[in-house]
Amino acid sequence: MRTIVKFLFDRIFAFIGIILALPLFILIPVIIFSGSKGPVLFRQKRVGKDGDLFTLIKFRTMVSNDGKNSVTAKSDPRITREGSFLRRWKLDELPELFNVLKGDMSFVGPRPDVPGYADRLEGEDRKILLLRPGVTGPATLKYLDEEEILSKVSDPQHYNDEVIFPDKVRINLNYLEKFSFAGDLKIIFYTIIRKKINEW
C-alpha cells in the first residue's frame, strides 16, 4: 500500500511542481546562457530501479563535464558562477521533476549513481536497487554539505568511494526498511528548509 501511495504522490506532485516552476524553467536558461556557452540541460546516464539505466536531466552548472571525475567538490573549477548559485539552492535539479513524472525517479529515495557504483554493491546492499532513486533522501540530508566536505580532503574521489558512498548505502538500506509516506513528507520538508540530519 505504501508503495502505491508513494507512486501516486510522485506523479501528482511532479506535475503540480512543473506547473508552479514554469517561471523558473524560463528564467534559469536565460541565466545559464548569459554566463557561459553550452547547452542549458545536462543529461547523464544514471542507475535506476532494478539497476536499469535512465537519463537524468538537470540544468547545466559547469563549463564542461568530461566525465573523468564522478564527484564534485565545492571548489571545482568547472562550476560556473551561475552554476554555483543554482547548485547552492538545488535549482539545477528542477528538471528532475520530469524524471519523477516519467517514473524514472521518486521525490524521496537514494540519489541515482553513475554506472559503476551499482556494480560495487554486493549481497544485502543490492536491495537499495529495489527503490526508485530520489530527488532527495535521508542520505542527501546528511550530506547537504557534501561538496564542502570533499573540498577539504586531498583526494575527493577516494574519500567519496571509501567513506561517503558506503555510508550512503547504509543509510539507504535503513530507509528501505523503514520508509513511510509520513517519513517521506518529513524528508521533503527538511530538504526545503535545508535542515541537515546526521542519522535517520
Side-chain angles (χ1 to χ4, degrees):
M1 181 64 180
R2 60 178 181 170
T3 56
I4 296 175
V5 173
K6 185 179 179 73
F7 181 85
L8 293 175
F9 175 87
D10 287 339
R11 298 304 178 283
I12 294 171
F13 282 90
F15 179 77
I16 294 174
I18 290 169
I19 299 300
L20 294 177
L22 278 177
L24 291 175
F25 281 112
I26 297 173
L27 178 61
I28 291 176
V30 175
I31 294 174
I32 293 173
F33 270 132
S34 68
S36 62
K37 295 180 180 179
V40 169
L41 295 177
F42 168 75
R43 296 179 173 87
Q44 188 179 54
K45 291 295 182 183
R46 297 289 180 96
V47 179
K49 188 177 184 296
D50 300 323
D52 296 332
L53 295 180
F54 72 98
T55 302
L56 179 79
I57 310 171
K58 301 173 73 171
F59 283 121
R60 180 177 61 84
T61 59
M62 296 184 178
V63 174
S64 64
N65 191 329
D66 56 15
K68 294 180 180 179
N69 195 343
S70 60
V71 300
T72 307
K74 187 176 181 180
S75 58
D76 195 313
R78 298 173 299 170
I79 301 175
T80 65
R81 183 180 62 180
E82 297 76 18
S84 179
F85 173 81
L86 295 177
R87 295 172 77 95
R88 178 183 177 185
W89 298 104
K90 302 298 182 182
L91 293 173
D92 60 315
E93 296 179 5
L94 275 177
E96 291 176 28
L97 288 172
F98 289 96
N99 287 122
V100 176
L101 184 63
K102 185 181 176 183
D104 291 328
M105 294 179 65
S106 174
F107 274 108
V108 181
R111 284 298 293 169
D113 286 312
V114 295
Y117 280 95
D119 298 336
R120 298 174 53 187
L121 298 173
E122 298 179 350
E124 292 292 304
D125 290 351
R126 292 193 64 82
K127 284 186 176 181
I128 63 174
L129 296 177
L130 295 173
L131 293 165
R132 281 185 176 82
V135 176
T136 186
T140 302
L141 291 177
K142 179 174 181 178
Y143 289 101
L144 281 175
D145 56 349
E146 180 176 337
E147 291 186 0
E148 185 173 348
I149 292 172
L150 291 173
S151 70
K152 296 178 180 178
V153 298
S154 58
D155 189 341
Q157 185 74 56
H158 177 78
Y159 189 84
N160 176 77
D161 293 353
E162 300 302 321
V163 179
I164 295 180
F165 178 71
D167 191 37
K168 285 183 176 180
V169 170
R170 178 187 62 80
I171 294 170
N172 289 327
L173 283 173
N174 188 50
Y175 170 76
L176 172 64
E177 297 299 325
K178 299 179 180 179
F179 84 87
S180 65
F181 181 63
D184 280 4
L185 291 179
K186 187 176 181 180
I187 291 171
I188 292 170
F189 176 71
Y190 282 174
T191 301
I192 293 173
I193 65 174
R194 296 186 61 75
K195 180 177 180 180
K196 183 177 180 180
I197 297 177
N198 288 327
E199 291 297 332
W200 188 259

